[in-house]
Amino acid sequence: MKFYPYKRLNRPIALRVTSASLKLPDGSRDHLDTSAFSTQQRTVALGVAQHEDWVSARIGLSATLPPGATAPDAPWSELRVLAVLADGETNVRTSVELRQDAPGSKEWSGAIEVFRDDHVGRAGLAVHAVATVDDVPGRAIAETDEDWTVDVTAEEPLGGLRLDVKQTSFSKSARDWLNAYSDAPWIVDASGRLPTVLVNTDIEGFSDLLGGESGGIESRVHEMLVSQMATDVWTAVFHSSVGDLETEPDGSPIFPTDWQGEVLREMLPDVVPGMHVEEALRQVHRRRTGDAGWVELQTRIHYAAVRRAGASKALANALRGLQQMNRGDRA
């Protein structure tokens, strides 16, 4: 624990990546989609577009300062918010000042440029709030508690949602409520500290298929099952996350601080595209609690879940495996 001889904010800054694009040698810019960065993993994968000759990357950032940062009676002045990219391998350090979205707002945004020649692998990205405190300029009053990682070569930022997987007999489980789902292959329970996937061992051979690494068409079926399960998980945890939101006195929803907040920041860019995540959450909350719009939003929620589950890739691999098997049978 660090001690400071001056007043600071007692909560961390929340940092989100909102966009990423690559500048190519001909001067054109390739705008990467949201699959290039993951709020859950706090990672940006700049190799996702498979451009080996890109010159620089521009990463859009949004930072939310803790309550009280911009209060009129705050014990500091000349508040500045800085994004800092630091690479321990190449010893390169880049900083950029973020801009306040509106007077008095807790939201600050901007972009940082990552030059390809300055990095060989992974760099850490953090945000610091500095101000003049007790007549001393440049004092740190808050920062992010966990760095983001910018990986200049990785093609995949998503390591999967943190969850607990348990195998149990639904018909004989001590969890009496599972008895009603004895014919289901799995159930997602999003009510705990971490979302849990309960796999039904009553279905003969199902557990072996999920855990098997036998290769061939079985591995393709395994991949499809896992992606379907992951789709169900992402859908369930999104609904769980928006289902019990705390609100401000004016009715505005508050981002949860646990895994539910991470899920929302991960999925909202695909559920309500082209909108800041704070406003996207407000729109989703209005639709869920209002008279219209919630049903129409289900397609976007399912789409966001499918993307994060890698369902398209799993289906393509399964079809490719079937085609190879059919060609082998005809040979």
Side-chain angles (χ1 to χ4, degrees), residues 12-321:
I13 299 172
L15 171 63
R16 296 169 301 284
V17 168
T18 58
S19 64
S21 63
L22 299 178
K23 183 179 179 181
L24 304 181
D26 63 1
S28 63
R29 194 166 281 279
D30 184 359
H31 294 273
L32 308 181
D33 64 24
T34 56
S35 64
F37 48 90
S38 166
T39 302
Q40 172 74 15
Q41 301 301 315
R42 291 185 174 87
T43 299
V44 182
L46 296 177
V48 67
Q50 298 185 339
H51 292 297
E52 296 185 359
D53 57 348
W54 56 275
V55 177
S56 65
R58 182 175 299 156
I59 299 175
L61 306 174
S62 178
T64 303
L65 269 58
T70 57
D73 58 349
W76 45 74
S77 61
E78 300 176 307
L79 176 64
R80 300 172 65 200
V81 179
L82 305 172
V84 179
L85 182 73
D87 190 325
E89 290 189 65
T90 60
N91 224 17
V92 171
R93 186 179 179 91
T94 306
S95 64
V96 64
E97 189 167 353
L98 304 183
R99 302 176 306 276
Q100 192 174 19
D101 289 359
S105 173
K106 295 184 296 183
E107 305 297 326
W108 299 63
S109 59
I112 194 166
E113 203 78 15
V114 181
F115 292 93
R116 181 65 182 89
D117 290 344
D118 289 342
H119 305 279
V120 295
R122 298 158 70 89
L125 179 62
V127 169
H128 302 265
V130 297
T132 297
V133 188
D134 297 334
D135 297 324
V136 179
R139 280 183 157 173
I141 62 168
E143 55 278 316
T144 45
D145 58 349
E146 287 188 59
D147 287 1
W148 273 66
T149 296
V150 177
D151 195 316
V152 298
T153 59
E155 298 179 7
E156 177 60 69
L158 304 178
L161 177 67
R162 292 194 306 272
L163 49 83
D164 190 13
V165 179
K166 296 180 179 178
Q167 298 193 19
T168 184
S169 167
F170 284 16
S171 62
K172 302 174 183 177
S173 174
R175 300 179 177 90
D176 294 339
W177 61 271
L178 278 178
N179 301 159
Y181 306 105
S182 58
D183 59 344
W186 63 78
I187 290 291
V188 181
D189 180 8
S191 62
R193 185 180 59 84
L194 285 179
T196 301
V197 179
L198 299 168
V199 176
N200 190 0
T201 57
D202 293 336
I203 300 178
E204 187 176 354
F206 181 56
S207 296
D208 293 337
L209 183 59
L210 280 179
E213 299 292 342
S214 57
I217 193 61
E218 289 84 0
S219 68
R220 308 299 188 186
V221 175
H222 163 88
E223 188 178 1
M224 285 195 64
L225 280 172
V226 171
S227 71
Q228 179 59 56
M229 185 182 296
T231 299
D232 289 352
V233 170
W234 280 107
T235 303
V237 296
F238 183 87
H239 281 281
S240 173
S241 299
V242 299
D244 192 25
L245 291 170
E246 295 182 10
T247 58
E248 302 276 10
D250 64 358
S252 299
I254 301 172
F255 264 103
T257 56
D258 56 6
W259 63 264
Q260 293 180 325
E262 294 182 351
V263 165
L264 292 174
R265 295 186 191 280
E266 181 85 33
M267 294 183 68
L268 281 171
D270 281 329
V271 175
V272 189
M275 189 175 291
H276 190 283
V277 289
E278 304 285 344
E279 178 55 36
L281 181 62
R282 285 192 286 270
Q283 184 175 134
V284 168
H285 182 65
R286 283 196 299 268
R287 292 196 185 192
R288 191 186 68 81
T289 58
D291 297 328
W294 180 238
V295 173
E296 291 80 359
L297 206 60
Q298 301 310 303
T299 301
R300 297 294 314 185
I301 295 171
H302 180 70
Y303 169 71
V306 165
R307 290 197 65 195
R308 269 136 198 86
S312 296
K313 180 181 178 181
L315 177 60
N317 288 340
L319 292 174
R320 192 157 46 245

